Amino acid sequence: MKAIVTLLSGLLFGIGLAYSEMTNPAVVIGFLDITGNWNPSLLFVMASAIIVGILGYQIQKRRKQPFFSDTWSLPTRQDISAPLIIGSILFGIGWGLSGYCPGPGLTAMVNNPTEGITFVIALILGSALFQFQTKLQSK
């Protein structure tokens, strides 16, 4: 049942990305271009995501355990660290330059294979570099 719910959640997420045009880099870059030809349409996408997140946390507060698991898996850190800030900056720069974040980047492998594959390769290399750097720091 957990696998089915995960699959359906992923499909719903993908449909939402496509419907909201978050898979279109031109729309995303238009949203990020606040000094030029700004496209505010993604504000509705973000507001919808915040509402869903708030509803999710309300459900979590009222239930002792999730529907398809024994325990909740929630973030425990509440501090703002240098890696969080640096990662956020790098994510924003990458999103602004390419118009893709990871979800839409994966869909681009089908919609726009040249850009999508390049983005996913860069995503994998960046993740591997982070893992390598983290292992070096922990030694």
Side-chain angles (χ1 to χ4, degrees), residues 98-116:
S98 69
Y100 292 117
C101 63
L106 291 173
T107 65
M109 291 176 59
V110 175
N111 303 0
N112 191 350
T114 303
E115 284 184 14

Side-chain angles (χ1 to χ4, degrees), residues 20-31:
S20 66
E21 293 196 73
M22 284 205 54
T23 57
N24 182 349
V27 172
V28 173
I29 291 171
F31 173 72

Side-chain angles (χ1 to χ4, degrees), residues 1-10 66-73:
M1 188 54 122
K2 186 176 179 180
I4 292 170
V5 170
T6 301
L7 174 67
L8 293 175
S9 297
F67 291 107
F68 303 110
S69 183
D70 294 331
T71 59
W72 291 102
S73 178

Side-chain angles (χ1 to χ4, degrees), residues 21-110:
E21 293 196 73
M22 284 205 54
T23 57
N24 182 349
V27 172
V28 173
I29 291 171
F31 173 72
L32 296 173
D33 185 11
I34 57 174
T35 60
N37 190 17
W38 187 54
N39 177 355
S41 64
L42 294 185
L43 281 175
F44 297 107
V45 176
M46 291 181 187
S48 299
I50 290 169
I51 291 168
V52 169
I54 289 170
L55 291 173
Y57 273 109
Q58 293 303 315
I59 291 170
Q60 183 269 327
K61 285 180 185 178
R62 296 172 199 260
R63 294 189 52 84
K64 291 185 180 187
Q65 71 182 59
F67 291 107
F68 303 110
S69 183
D70 294 331
T71 59
W72 291 102
S73 178
L74 299 171
T76 56
R77 288 189 66 172
Q78 296 184 359
D79 61 320
I80 297 176
S81 63
L84 174 66
I85 293 169
I86 293 166
S88 299
I89 290 168
L90 290 173
F91 178 89
I93 289 169
W95 192 33
L97 289 174
S98 69
Y100 292 117
C101 63
L106 291 173
T107 65
M109 291 176 59
V110 175

